[in-house]
Structures are given as structure tokens and as C-alpha cells.
Amino acid sequence: MTKEQNFSLWSRDFILICMANFFYFGSFYFLIPTMPQYVAILGGSPEQVGLVMGAFTAAAVVVRPYFGQNADRRGRKLFMLLGSGFFIFFPILYSLMASIAPLYLARVLHGFAHASFLAASAAYIADMAPPHRRGEVIGIYGTSNVVAMALFPAISTAVVKGPGDFPFLFTLSALSAAAAFLCVVFLRDILPQGSRDLPPGRTLQVGLRRPVLVPSLTLFAGATSYGAIVTFLPLFAPQRGLKDFGLFFTVYAASTILSRVVVGRLSDRIGRRKVILPFMAVLAVGVGLLPSLYSMAMLALIALFIGFGFGAFMPTLNALVVDHTPPRERGSALGFFTSFMDVGITAGAMGLGFIGGSLGYPLMFYVGAVLIVTGLLFFAAAMKPEQAAKGIGG
């Protein structure tokens, strides 16, 4: 049987990779909302909180293409094991620290582990997905991350009631990473034919190809607004009298999951471009409505638009990159592409945050919506229908 005939969403390897992704991001999301508190407990200033959190992201962005290239040459499984394995180690290390200084180095190395897992796992699921179901498979796989995002931050904030609770939290994070590691252990490895013969240093060459660079820059436009939303909505919503803004993240998670399951399959049938453009428009509408936020009903509606828009267009862009990348170069291409998500989130938190702090949050959100529209127009002009058709990544 060919891969197209043999693949099933209920296959052992697909279930294992989804479980690995879920538990891996469980370890990640245990720490995201609570690490700033831990830095403060160690005596860190607000500026040091930002540096500690930023060190992780910056390190992951810089080395992700490198790990992607090596996942092409040495196999996906090795680098998923390295990433999830070190995710077991670092939470335990954090609990032993008594000052800020060693935390900087630990966060940088933790970011390297994050890059290793993400680059290799993105290539693995791309290899697994049959070309005619690629959007569907990548979309469904991505829901494991969203479910983790919906569950684990709430658990972590419930666990941490005081300084003495952090060792237990770090243990939970390490155990979740250990569960991810075990799932990867039982995966069959994938090493594309001819990949061992690839010369090193091809990541930039692969990333600058139009079918990789254009989706990457388009993702950056959407991720920038997303970074501003997740960073500043908790500050903006109470200003509008909405202190219980957790509804946003609940509706966002539910609509993201639904869009990834439904729209991924749609992009396989009608083409990537016909999904990316309208759902970017939906995302722009959702962000553009944020300055009009004055009620819980509007909050839910905005979350619905943003969840559907972002949940649909990101995995479809991912599928488009895979469509045009041969299997032996997918790690490099996806390492390059996915790094623009983190770069965009950081740019949104810092760049748009400067606008919000200086000129107000409503203007910041309007600028975010304009950025998404700019990304939409750029994609429409740079990727014509024939260029957005399925290519060589079968």
C-alpha cells in the first residue's frame, strides 16, 4: 500500500505524535504564566523578568533553522528526543536555583531544546501526511497544542499559591515532558531519501525560496497581532470593565480547534490560497473589533473571529510550505517558517506594545489589524493562484 492508501488518523504513530505534542506543550505551558512570578521570587526586577522570558524565545528562534536542517540529515526522531529530553531536565534545574544569573543561561539552553523539538516534529508530521490530506492532518495535529494551551496554564496558576509551590510545579512540568519523551520513543523514525547527502548550511537558501519566504512573512504579520493580543488583552479588558476576560481564551481555544479540524480538510479540496486569504480577513476583522470591546458578548464574538482566523490560516500556510518543499528539505523549510511565529509574537509584544503604551491600546489594535491586511495583500500579490497550487512536496 502507498502512504496515501495506508494513512489513518487512528494509526499508532499519528496518535503518538499528537500525544507527544500535547504533553510537550503541557510542560511548556506549565511554565509560561508562572515563570515571571518565579523570577520575582528570586529577586528579579520587571526588566529581568522580560530578559529571562525573552532569552528563551530568542534562543529558540535563532537555532530552530539549524535544528531543522539537522533533522533533515539525521532523522526527525533524534531531535524530538533531544528536545523533550532536555525539557525534563530544565524544570528540575530551575527548582535548584537561588539567584537570577544562572537562570539566564538555563533559559537560553531551554530555548535550544524547544527549537529542536519544534523543528523536528513539524517535519515529522509533514512527512506523515499524505499530500491530498496534508491540510487536514497538519490542522488536526495542531489541535493538540491548542488543547494543551487551554488546560495547562490554568492548572499551573491553580497550583502556585506561594513560593513553596514552585518545586511541585516544576516536577509536574518535568513529568509532562517525560510523557512526551516516552511517546516519541515508540515512534517510527522518518528519514527522507537522499537527506544524508545534503550539504550543511542550506537553511537560508531554502528559506529564501518564494514558497517558503512568502508564507513566513505572512505568518509574521498575523503573529505580530497575536503577540499584542495575548500580552495586552489582560490589561485592556479590565479598562473596559471586563475583569473576567478568561472567556476570551476559552472561546478562542474552542474556535481554533474547530477551524483547524474543518478548514484543514477544506484547503485540501479547494486550495490553500482560497483558505488563507478569507481567513486572514476574518482575523483582521476580529483584531479590528477589539477597540469596540465593552461587553462579554463582544469579547466572545472577537475571540470567535480571532480563533477561526488564526486557527485556519497558520496550518494552511504550513501546508503550503510543505507542498513546495521536497521531503529531504522539510526540516530546514519548516524550521525557517515556524521561527517567524515566535519573531512575530515578540515583535507584537514589544513593537505594538510601545504604541499601546504611548498612544493607547485601541490604536495599537487598529495598527495590528492593518498589519494583517498588509500581510493579506502581500500574500495575494506575491503568491499567485498557480504559485499557491500544490507543488513538489509530495
Side-chain angles (χ1 to χ4, degrees):
M1 278 190 177
T2 65
K3 179 174 71 171
E4 289 83 349
Q5 295 170 322
N6 198 39
F7 178 81
S8 168
L9 295 175
W10 299 106
S11 67
R12 186 188 73 109
D13 283 346
F14 185 71
I15 291 172
L16 281 173
I17 189 63
C18 287
M19 290 176 60
N21 199 51
F22 172 77
F23 285 116
Y24 173 84
F25 274 100
S27 177
F28 175 78
Y29 286 124
F30 266 132
L31 303 182
I32 287 294
T34 51
M35 185 59 72
Q37 294 173 252
Y38 189 64
V39 176
I41 289 169
L42 293 179
S45 65
E47 291 77 13
Q48 288 174 314
V49 169
L51 287 172
V52 167
M53 300 303 288
F56 179 95
T57 302
V61 167
V62 169
V63 300
R64 194 180 302 177
Y66 168 81
F67 281 116
Q69 175 183 286
N70 279 278
D72 285 334
R73 301 180 68 217
R74 295 181 172 88
R76 321 304 194 196
K77 184 174 177 176
L78 171 62
F79 289 91
M80 286 190 284
L81 287 172
L82 286 173
S84 55
F86 278 107
F87 255 59
I88 302 170
F89 170 74
F90 283 107
I92 297 171
L93 183 63
Y94 294 150
S95 66
L96 302 177
M97 291 185 175
S99 65
I100 296 295
L103 193 57
Y104 291 124
L105 177 60
R107 291 296 285 172
V108 168
L109 297 177
H110 202 172
F112 289 172
H114 191 52
S116 178
F117 184 90
L118 290 189
S121 60
Y124 189 95
I125 197 66
D127 291 337
M128 176 182 287
H132 72 288
R133 298 180 64 184
R134 187 168 285 145
E136 175 192 8
V137 173
I138 291 175
I140 292 175
Y141 166 75
T143 63
S144 57
N145 177 355
V146 179
V147 173
M149 181 179 67
L151 295 177
F152 287 94
I155 296 172
S156 70
T157 54
V159 166
V160 175
K161 302 297 184 184
D165 297 322
F166 274 95
F168 179 55
L169 177 72
F170 292 143
T171 300
L172 291 177
S173 179
L175 288 174
S176 189
F181 182 88
L182 286 175
C183 289
V184 176
V185 165
F186 292 102
L187 279 175
R188 298 179 181 89
D189 199 4
I190 297 176
L191 183 64
Q193 186 176 4
S195 60
R196 293 190 185 276
D197 301 326
L198 288 173
R202 289 175 55 85
T203 300
L204 185 60
Q205 179 182 342
V206 172
L208 291 179
R209 294 173 186 164
R210 180 186 292 261
V212 179
L213 182 61
V214 172
S216 298
L217 293 174
T218 306
L219 176 62
F220 173 81
T224 302
S225 295
Y226 177 80
I229 292 167
V230 298
T231 303
F232 297 106
L233 181 65
L235 301 176
F236 177 64
Q239 291 182 0
R240 296 298 175 90
L242 305 175
K243 295 183 179 180
D244 187 17
F245 54 85
L247 175 67
F248 174 89
F249 296 100
T250 302
V251 175
Y252 170 83
S255 57
T256 299
I257 291 170
L258 182 61
S259 70
R260 289 195 174 194
V261 171
V262 174
V263 179
R265 183 181 301 177
L266 181 66
S267 78
D268 292 328
R269 294 176 54 197
I270 68 173
R272 315 297 185 206
R273 194 173 191 269
K274 292 179 180 178
V275 167
I276 292 167
L277 294 178
F279 278 93
M280 283 194 75
V282 170
L283 178 61
V285 169
V287 177
L289 286 174
L290 276 165
S292 304
L293 179 61
Y294 285 102
S295 68
M296 295 299 288
M298 178 60 76
L299 183 70
L301 180 64
I302 290 170
L304 190 69
F305 275 109
I306 293 174
F308 264 106
F310 206 86
F313 104 97
M314 181 187 174
T316 308
L317 284 172
N318 189 327
L320 178 62
V321 171
V322 178
D323 289 340
H324 291 271
T325 305
R328 66 183 183 275
E329 293 178 341
R330 282 177 183 160
S332 296
L334 292 173
F336 184 89
F337 168 76
T338 57
S339 67
F340 279 77
M341 179 69 181
D342 289 332
V343 173
I345 290 173
T346 303
M350 297 177 64
L352 291 184
F354 177 79
I355 295 174
S358 303
L359 302 174
Y361 293 132
L363 181 61
M364 178 189 74
F365 290 128
Y366 282 134
V367 171
V370 170
L371 281 175
I372 296 169
V373 173
T374 302
L376 185 159
L377 295 175
F378 167 73
F379 181 85
M383 291 292 288
K384 301 298 184 183
E386 64 273 14
Q387 294 170 324
K390 291 185 179 180
I392 59 177

